[in-house]
Amino acid sequence: QNFKMISIITPNLNGSKYLDACIQNKIQQKLDIEYIIVDGYSTDKSHEIIKKYNFVNLIIKKDKNMYEAINSGIHQSNHEIVTYINVDDSYNNDVLEYVANIFNSNPSIDFIYGDTNIIDNKGVFLYKYKGFKIRNFFRNNCSIIPWLQPSLFFRKKIFEKLGGFNTNYNFASDYDFFKRQYV
């Protein structure tokens, strides 16, 4: 079954070195997606690369940081399930179809995450980061994120409820975002 329900946001600033592979990775998925790249006025060849792909929605705007760019993309998104992935990250094949099936089969869940393969800059697999379960104890006391960002998918209503990512944090706004969900 073909789902069109996941919006993917990628913040970009001079990431042309990775853009073709990043966009090609989305094409390889067996899911019709909404793909939004929020570009902070790149001065490299990013815009030329992005414009080759007619399915990519390009937003060009100066942002305070990566999280402001992600907020902008999610605000513009049109689907119930959203995620964000950096320009130098990728998904395993068929993962989006798998994620869509989980959300379709479990309408009461608000977010999911899983394991993440760590790959070096040459494409060599290094290790698997195992996401761990959030138990009640960790919900209010956890000081680390139990997942890596590329494996995280959530319902847009959570984003709207929490007011998006706090742009005062340059590196840990995702931690703050989900911590606020449980406080």
Side-chain angles (χ1 to χ4, degrees):
Q1 188 172 7
N2 190 17
F3 300 90
K4 183 170 181 166
M5 63 175 292
I6 296 178
S7 296
I8 302 170
I9 315 307
T10 296
N12 179 61
L13 181 60
N14 296 322
S16 63
K17 177 179 176 181
Y18 306 103
L19 264 172
D20 258 326
C22 181
I23 296 169
Q24 286 293 326
N25 176 253
K26 307 316 168 283
I27 292 171
Q28 294 168 2
Q29 299 296 317
K30 292 183 178 175
L31 187 75
D32 193 9
I33 61 167
E34 176 183 43
Y35 190 42
I36 300 170
I37 297 178
V38 182
D39 184 89
Y41 287 102
S42 290
T43 57
D44 62 2
K45 296 184 184 236
S46 290
H47 297 167
E48 294 171 36
I49 293 167
I50 296 167
K51 288 178 182 176
K52 292 188 312 187
Y53 300 96
N54 62 1
F55 75 97
V56 176
N57 299 323
L58 174 61
I59 300 170
I60 302 172
K61 66 185 284 294
K62 190 69 176 160
D63 293 302
K64 176 179 177 179
N65 58 27
M66 169 180 83
Y67 293 108
E68 188 173 310
I70 294 166
N71 282 346
S72 297
I74 294 174
H75 279 301
Q76 295 286 328
S77 68
N78 294 303
H79 298 295
E80 178 185 3
I81 307 306
V82 294
T83 188
Y84 60 99
I85 190 163
N86 294 321
V87 71
D88 60 344
D89 293 331
S90 63
Y91 296 122
N92 286 341
N93 289 340
D94 302 329
V95 75
L96 298 180
E97 184 177 26
Y98 179 76
V99 166
N101 286 331
I102 290 173
F103 278 107
N104 282 337
S105 300
N106 301 280
S108 64
I109 63 171
D110 291 328
F111 70 95
I112 63 169
Y113 60 91
D115 299 340
T116 304
N117 292 334
I118 305 300
I119 310 294
D120 71 10
N121 62 352
K122 295 178 182 155
V124 175
F125 173 83
L126 300 176
Y127 65 94
K128 181 181 293 280
Y129 180 90
K130 301 287 265 176
F132 58 88
K133 290 183 180 180
I134 300 176
R135 291 182 168 54
N136 289 336
F137 170 79
F138 287 114
R139 287 187 172 153
N140 291 322
N141 300 311
C142 185
S143 61
I144 62 168
I145 299 174
W147 61 81
L148 292 182
Q149 165 271 317
S151 75
L152 177 66
F153 298 81
F154 53 95
R155 294 193 191 273
K156 187 174 178 179
K157 69 180 182 181
I158 296 299
F159 175 84
E160 292 164 344
K161 174 182 148 190
L162 297 175
F165 293 99
N166 183 337
T167 61
N168 292 322
Y169 297 111
N170 287 324
F171 301 108
S173 189
D174 45 2
Y175 171 78
D176 169 74
F177 180 77
F178 283 96
K179 190 76 167 170
R180 284 186 281 137
Q181 180 177 348
Y182 293 112
V183 174

